[in-house]
Amino acid sequence: MKLAKPCIDIGIFTNQREEQLAFWQQDINLPFSELLKTGGGSHQLRHDLNGSIFKLNHVRDELPATGSTGYTELMIAREGVSDPTSFVDPDGNKVSLVPPGYKGITNIGIELTVSSIAKFQHFYRNVLQIEQVDDCTFRWATTLFFLKEDPNYTSAAEMRGIGYRYITVQVWKVDEEHAAFIERGGTEARAPVTLGTTARISFINDPDGNWIEVSQRASLTGDL
């Protein structure tokens, strides 16, 4: 994919707005960026994350118990940190602050629990066409993905639910990238749609059904 931004974003859903804001802003020290009203009683509170965006999606209505996704842990490179330091947010999401360069992380790293390393190797190499670092590590722009295999693992089928739910890649032409992904054997989750004058987005799935948002954001690419 031709990226409009060399960083991958990550989003969570929560019913605990104030508790989560306190944790991510105070304990993890992420700078608040902006609030977007996303409809249906939902707000997206966006935070800067080493060039990526941490999307804290607060939902007014109770979120369904849909189980967890494969996005297991977020690792954030932080100057001044000498050893990895682990935290758990109010919803149980794992996050670690790590020294820059730890496991090769310069910006952020994301750990995924997957049902099959071999399936994800094929997916990342041939469908997403991103860089393979080693058997269990892939690099998408500045973001590293670490695969942890559990043959008994089954990911949540729904994007909405508590916890890490999706990642976002910013591209120049979402329709072109979405179509090319399907042609390479990828699975469509949602066809491209335009969100006012803000963005045109689509969703795709990885082999375990985890959600990946493909976004053409007007603030990065100009006219939609």
Side-chain angles (χ1 to χ4, degrees):
M1 295 183 179
K2 296 179 181 178
L3 304 189
K5 184 182 75 170
C7 305
I8 307 303
D9 306 329
I10 186 165
I12 70 170
F13 280 88
T14 185
N15 290 134
Q16 300 191 78
R17 175 181 171 129
E18 298 308 318
E19 295 89 342
Q20 287 284 38
L21 284 175
F23 173 82
W24 289 97
Q25 293 180 3
Q26 297 173 22
D27 293 9
I28 306 302
N29 198 28
L30 296 188
F32 176 73
S33 175
E34 63 177 326
L35 182 149
L36 298 179
K37 295 181 178 180
T38 49
S42 301
H43 288 163
Q44 183 177 104
L45 299 111
R46 298 163 66 88
H47 295 72
D48 293 331
L49 180 63
N50 290 353
S52 298
I53 298 294
F54 176 74
K55 302 177 179 182
L56 199 165
N57 296 282
H58 173 255
V59 181
R60 178 185 58 206
D61 297 332
E62 184 175 356
L63 285 162
T66 55
S68 61
T69 68
Y71 302 120
T72 309
E73 182 178 357
L74 172 64
M75 290 166 274
I76 305 169
R78 179 69 53 80
E79 293 290 344
V81 173
S82 57
D83 296 296
T85 305
S86 298
F87 300 82
V88 178
D89 80 3
D91 284 331
N93 299 306
K94 296 179 181 179
V95 55
S96 294
L97 301 180
V98 303
Y102 174 78
K103 291 187 175 181
I105 300 170
T106 57
N107 294 62
I108 67 169
I110 298 171
E111 182 182 86
L112 280 88
T113 298
V114 301
S115 61
S116 167
I117 292 287
K119 285 183 180 180
F120 272 78
Q121 287 174 337
H122 170 77
F123 176 75
Y124 282 148
R125 284 196 303 250
N126 302 310
V127 183
L128 283 188
Q129 298 182 331
I130 63 178
E131 175 190 356
Q132 182 169 354
V133 178
D134 59 37
D135 286 348
C136 298
T137 309
F138 286 79
R139 186 189 311 275
W140 202 356
T142 60
T143 301
L144 283 173
F145 292 84
F146 303 96
L147 307 183
K148 180 180 179 181
E149 187 175 67
D150 178 357
N152 297 317
Y153 175 72
T154 302
S155 179
E158 297 296 326
M159 189 175 76
R160 286 172 68 89
I162 292 174
Y164 296 123
R165 307 308 294 190
Y166 66 103
I167 59 173
T168 301
V169 57
Q170 297 290 342
V171 301
W172 291 100
K173 296 290 184 182
V174 68
D175 292 88
E176 293 178 8
E177 300 294 357
H178 186 90
F181 173 83
I182 302 303
E183 290 174 3
R184 292 192 296 268
T187 301
E188 178 182 79
R190 293 180 188 169
V193 296
T194 300
L195 306 178
T197 59
T198 302
R200 183 164 173 78
I201 67 169
S202 70
F203 285 92
I204 57 181
N205 287 140
D206 70 18
D208 282 344
N210 297 305
W211 291 67
I212 302 171
E213 180 185 24
V214 184
S215 171
Q216 179 183 339
R217 192 169 176 81
S219 60
L220 295 172
T221 66
D223 290 342
L224 302 177

